[in-house]
């Protein structure tokens, strides 16, 4: 099985250490500790070295990591996945509505992680542990980011924590949303006796920014949302609280619509800074078919 190698040059213009070169490129203290215990190694100009060694300007440091063996607790599904983008570090996927992102008590066999594991096995990958970077509710469709190895997940975790990863959604809200642009800044917590999230003073900070994209009379409004935090059910709970639950979102009191029988929410845009290429990667995804049908129905009704 092939090892993973990541190489960086000392561009500081002065002497440094192997450890500093690694930490400057996002290698965590946890991974440094693993290196000390033999889980991988480091090379200086192609030769094995230790973290305390000196690195002259323009010399190269290479991090060598063992491949990640499959976690037997994650079952394999060979159902197809829809790939938007793939390289040696990332998978950007088009997640359909109705499938969970990760295994849980209600579904351990056929989630996105089970399907990605099956795909990696089919591709003959050395790394067989997919890492979900972004997750979507079971009945939310759209863009989902997966790291193909733990080092990639670790490097991008800061963007997730600092919310510098840009995530945008399209949502059909009930009723007429009056503000063309607004920010819902209301803390959320889990209900004591259920699955819903509710606004509460003792909840976690939650901020949703939105722009109205289209009105359909007084019946519905299409909004584009950008998350400034990443709370469970954030968009659904926020709009329900302000009197505009998402169409067909039964959990939050949304009116059912036959064209789209699940919450009308779609992750349409994703952008992040790739720590490997140092480029900004961005992706867009059109509406799922059921939400397209809903859009057509609302536009037709509004023309009558």
């Amino acid at each position: 099985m092939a090892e993973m190698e990541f190489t960086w040059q000392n561009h500081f213009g002065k002497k440094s250490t192997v450890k500093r070169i690694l930490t400057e490129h996002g290698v965590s203290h946890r991974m440094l500790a693993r290196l000390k215990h033999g889980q991988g190694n480091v090379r200086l100009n192609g030769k094995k070295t230790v973290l305390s060694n000196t690195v002259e300007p323009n010399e190269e440091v290479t991090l060598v990591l063992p491949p990640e063996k499959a976690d037997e607790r994650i079952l394999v599904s060979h159902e197809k996945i829809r790939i938007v983008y793939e390289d040696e570090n990332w998978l950007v996927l088009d997640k359909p509505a109705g499938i969970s992102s990760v295994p849980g008590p209600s579904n351990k066999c056929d989630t996105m992680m089970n399907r990605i594991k099956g795909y990696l096995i089919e591709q003959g990958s050395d790394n067989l542990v997919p890492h979900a970077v972004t997750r979507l509710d079971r009945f939310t469709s759209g863009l989902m980011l997966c790291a193909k190895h733990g080092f990639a997940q670790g490097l991008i975790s800061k963007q997730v924590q600092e919310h510098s990863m840009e995530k945008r959604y399209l949502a059909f809200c009930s009723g007429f949303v009056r503000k063309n642009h607004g920010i819902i800044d209301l803390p959320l917590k889990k209900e004591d006796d259920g699955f819903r999230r509710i606004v509460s003073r003792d909840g976690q900070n939650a901020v949703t920014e939105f722009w109205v994209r289209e009105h359909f009379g007084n019946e519905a409004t299409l909004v584009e949302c950008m998350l400034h935090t990443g709370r469970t059910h954030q968009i659904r709970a926020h709009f329900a609280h302000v009197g505009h639950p998402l169409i067909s979102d039964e959990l939050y009191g949304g009116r059912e619509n036959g064209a789209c029988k699940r919450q009308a929410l779609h992750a349409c845009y994703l952008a992040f800074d790739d720590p490997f290429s140092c480029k900004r990667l961005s992706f867009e995804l059109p509406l799922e078919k059921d939400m397209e049908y809903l859009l057509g129905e609302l536009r037709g009704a509004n023309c009558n």
Side-chain angles (χ1 to χ4, degrees):
M1 299 178 74
E3 296 174 315
M4 293 181 287
E5 296 187 6
F6 307 93
T7 299
W8 303 282
Q9 200 171 37
N10 178 7
H11 289 304
F12 293 123
K14 58 183 179 180
K15 292 181 181 180
S16 187
T17 63
V18 171
K19 182 178 180 179
R20 184 183 175 195
I21 296 293
L22 294 177
T23 55
E24 286 288 335
H25 287 88
V27 177
S28 66
H29 293 295
R30 184 178 181 180
M31 183 161 286
L32 292 175
R34 287 168 57 191
L35 291 173
K36 290 179 180 179
H37 288 87
Q39 299 178 42
N41 63 79
V42 186
R43 297 172 187 162
L44 178 60
N45 299 324
K47 297 181 180 180
K48 283 189 178 182
T49 188
V50 294
L51 298 177
S52 59
N53 269 4
T54 299
V55 184
E56 298 288 344
N58 299 319
E59 287 190 319
E60 290 185 339
V61 173
T62 299
L63 173 66
V64 183
L65 297 175
E68 297 176 355
K69 298 179 181 179
D71 183 345
E72 298 301 325
R73 294 172 297 178
I74 305 298
L75 302 177
V76 177
S77 170
H78 290 287
E79 291 292 328
K80 298 299 182 183
I81 55 175
R82 302 192 301 226
I83 298 173
V84 177
Y85 172 83
E86 180 179 12
D87 63 21
E88 62 269 29
N89 305 304
W90 312 108
L91 272 170
V92 179
L93 303 166
D94 175 3
K95 187 189 90 67
I99 178 171
S100 300
S101 295
V102 298
S106 63
N107 186 355
K108 298 180 180 180
C109 303
D110 188 27
T111 68
M112 292 301 293
M113 289 300 102
N114 301 114
R115 293 185 181 191
I116 294 168
K117 182 176 180 179
Y119 170 77
L120 294 175
I121 291 172
E122 291 168 4
Q123 296 299 305
S125 174
D126 290 317
N127 294 300
L128 297 175
V129 183
H131 303 266
V133 177
T134 64
R135 302 182 184 188
L136 299 175
D137 293 342
R138 179 182 173 187
F139 291 105
T140 298
S141 58
L143 291 165
M144 178 179 170
L145 175 61
C146 175
K148 294 172 76 172
H149 52 83
F151 183 48
Q153 183 189 40
L155 288 183
I156 208 168
S157 62
K158 186 176 180 181
Q159 293 182 55
V160 175
Q161 293 163 4
E162 295 180 351
H163 308 294
S164 59
M165 179 181 293
E166 188 173 348
K167 296 183 287 184
R168 291 180 180 251
Y169 296 75
L170 289 172
F172 287 91
C173 300
S174 303
F176 187 93
V177 178
R178 296 189 178 279
K179 287 185 177 181
N180 287 325
H181 170 251
I183 294 177
I184 306 173
D185 186 355
L186 296 168
L188 296 172
K189 76 170 187 178
K190 185 179 178 180
E191 261 185 340
D192 293 334
D193 57 350
F195 296 103
R196 299 192 334 148
R197 265 54 184 181
I198 57 173
V199 171
S200 176
R201 289 182 180 179
D202 60 344
Q204 294 178 302
N205 178 46
V207 182
T208 304
E209 187 172 5
F210 69 88
W211 297 262
V212 168
R213 295 304 181 212
E214 192 169 346
H215 284 115
F216 308 98
N218 292 319
E219 184 178 359
T221 305
L222 174 62
V223 298
E224 181 177 337
C225 305
M226 181 167 71
L227 295 182
H228 294 285
T229 53
R231 307 304 176 200
T232 301
H233 296 182
Q234 181 173 314
I235 294 172
R236 300 166 64 190
H238 269 169
F239 278 97
H241 183 81
V242 299
H244 299 289
L246 271 55
I247 288 177
S248 291
D249 190 352
E250 181 182 355
L251 185 63
Y252 287 92
R255 177 179 52 82
E256 185 178 350
N257 185 289
C260 181
K261 298 181 180 181
R262 47 95 180 187
Q263 68 249 15
L265 183 61
H266 178 73
C268 63
Y269 180 83
L270 174 68
F272 63 95
D273 295 318
D274 182 2
F276 298 98
S277 68
C278 298
K279 296 179 180 178
R280 183 76 169 173
L281 300 181
S282 61
F283 308 92
E284 293 185 68
L285 196 62
L287 291 172
E288 281 277 285
K289 287 184 178 180
D290 57 352
M291 288 181 67
E292 284 186 358
Y293 294 149
L294 175 61
L295 177 61
E297 180 182 283
L298 290 170
R299 283 174 173 169
N302 198 40
C303 290
N304 295 332

